[in-house]
Amino acid sequence: VTVSVVSAEQGAFPVVIRAVGNVTPYNTVTVVPQVEGRLLRVHFQEGAHVQAGQLLAELDPRALQASLDEARGTQAQNQAELNARSDLTRYERLYRQDSVSRQQLETQRALVRQLQARSSTDQAKVDNARVQLGYTKIHAPVAGRLGLLKTNIGAMIGPSTTDGLVSIVQTDPISVIFGVPEVQLTALRDAMAAAAVNGLEVEAWDRSEQGRLASGRLTTLDNQIDTTTGSLRVRARFDNPGETLFPNQFVNIRLTLQTLPGAVSVPVDAVQFGTQGNYVYVVRDDKAHVQVVKLGATTADRVQIVEGL
């Protein structure tokens, strides 16, 4: 039987949690028109980056413009009746001269209040019509990358349109959500408390774990453990100017909790378990001897030996 022999190593030993994470945008928005209308113009290219507030498309405004003009006409018509204010001034002067009765004065005051209330209602209708007309120009609610256009120019779209006009995802910054096993929760919280200022470093690697895609920081823990998986969902934030992380992409995560200085470690495959507990074979005088050890932190391929070596 071929036996491989390695030396125990002493040095800095990073305590790392490995997991599979899902790249999740902070904002994902489906742009849906707030009014019904025919799509006249589109001012974006599919897949392009947009800024918050940028004009995306225009709907046919003629019907809503007519509603605004009608509201303004009604307002102007009712404004003409507000000459009752000057009549009220004359009634008050005549009342002081005992030329009109108090009932006539109160009737005129009630008429003025009625006309003022109507004026406020007219102004509200004008403001509402102006707002509705403004909705015919569709602007980007957030900055991000656009998806594919989900309708065609000339089509009728509105609030009930299921697919909307287009989707926008925020790509920079972006987050990765992954699970941390319940047994490592205490160590994770202790490490977060120790690194409260800068936060814990998180690395995102490709599926083959041959290339590092991005480096970020742990930001948030979920408020409960998922009983189906026995893990706690956590979120890490990544600056993503080059879009190396793509929404809904699966990545391998390495979360470094701490680095143990001067730790003795051996490959995980070297550790066995028997009636006496964990042990390794130690070679002395060209012979293998059983050596009981006490284990510490573990990475994917190495384990810390607290006692025994």
Side-chain angles (χ1 to χ4, degrees):
V1 178
T2 301
V3 178
S4 298
V5 180
V6 297
S7 299
E9 297 179 359
Q10 185 173 21
F13 186 83
V15 181
V16 179
I17 295 177
R18 294 173 181 257
V20 176
N22 180 241
V23 180
T24 306
Y26 281 103
N27 291 300
T28 301
V29 178
T30 298
V31 179
V32 178
Q34 294 180 265
V35 293
E36 185 112 10
R38 191 175 302 279
L39 183 61
L40 283 185
R41 285 177 286 274
V42 174
H43 298 281
F44 65 86
Q45 291 184 347
E46 296 175 320
H49 282 276
V50 294
Q51 300 299 321
Q54 182 175 330
L55 180 63
L56 298 180
E58 294 182 63
L59 304 181
D60 187 352
R62 289 176 296 178
L64 293 174
Q65 181 65 57
S67 297
L68 176 60
D69 294 340
E70 180 183 3
R72 285 173 173 169
T74 302
Q75 183 185 38
Q77 179 181 356
N78 292 334
Q79 285 283 352
E81 299 179 2
L82 280 179
N83 58 1
R85 291 178 179 175
S86 57
D87 291 341
L88 177 60
T89 302
R90 287 193 297 270
Y91 270 76
E92 288 174 341
R93 184 173 60 253
L94 292 173
Y95 177 75
R96 289 192 295 269
Q97 297 173 356
D98 291 331
S99 298
V100 296
S101 65
R102 184 175 184 84
Q103 181 179 359
Q104 290 176 300
L105 176 62
E106 293 298 333
T107 301
Q108 189 65 25
R109 284 176 177 172
L111 176 61
V112 169
R113 288 195 296 269
Q114 178 183 352
L115 295 176
Q116 287 175 335
R118 183 187 299 175
S119 177
S120 298
T121 301
D122 292 340
Q123 184 61 50
K125 291 180 179 179
V126 170
D127 293 341
N128 179 68
R130 186 182 295 114
V131 170
Q132 297 298 313
L133 179 62
Y135 287 151
T136 59
K137 292 186 176 181
I138 304 171
H139 298 82
V142 296
R145 178 182 285 275
L146 292 167
L148 301 179
L149 181 63
K150 299 181 179 181
T151 186
N152 299 312
I153 294 179
M156 289 294 295
I157 58 176
S160 60
T161 305
T162 305
D163 294 334
L165 177 67
V166 69
S167 64
I168 305 175
V169 294
Q170 180 182 346
T171 57
D172 184 26
I174 205 165
S175 71
V176 175
I177 296 177
F178 58 97
V180 173
E182 178 183 354
V183 295
Q184 295 176 310
L185 179 57
T186 300
L188 173 61
R189 297 183 66 180
D190 291 344
M192 289 186 66
V197 177
N198 297 323
L200 296 177
E201 182 180 7
V202 182
E203 293 181 345
W205 291 68
D206 58 20
R207 290 204 174 193
S208 63
E209 293 201 73
Q210 299 300 312
R212 190 180 74 168
L213 301 177
S215 178
R217 296 286 174 180
L218 190 69
T219 58
T220 309
L221 305 183
D222 201 355
N223 59 359
Q224 57 185 338
I225 294 174
D226 187 347
T227 57
T228 60
T229 61
S231 62
L232 179 71
R233 284 161 51 90
V234 300
R235 185 192 296 272
R237 181 185 186 277
F238 292 82
D239 292 329
N240 193 36
E243 294 190 354
T244 53
L245 298 178
F246 208 76
N248 293 337
Q249 177 184 6
F250 285 98
V251 293
N252 288 301
I253 292 296
R254 299 181 186 178
L255 169 60
T256 302
L257 297 183
Q258 59 177 322
T259 300
L260 303 175
V264 177
S265 65
V266 298
V268 172
D269 293 341
V271 180
Q272 308 294 320
F273 183 78
T275 57
Q276 295 178 340
N278 294 303
Y279 67 92
V280 297
Y281 287 106
V282 178
V283 177
R284 291 194 301 269
D285 302 327
D286 295 330
K287 293 183 180 180
H289 302 269
V290 174
Q291 177 66 48
V292 177
V293 294
K294 182 179 179 180
L295 306 182
T298 304
T299 64
D301 54 355
R302 299 191 69 82
V303 58
Q304 178 196 10
I305 304 300
V306 179
E307 294 179 4
L309 295 179

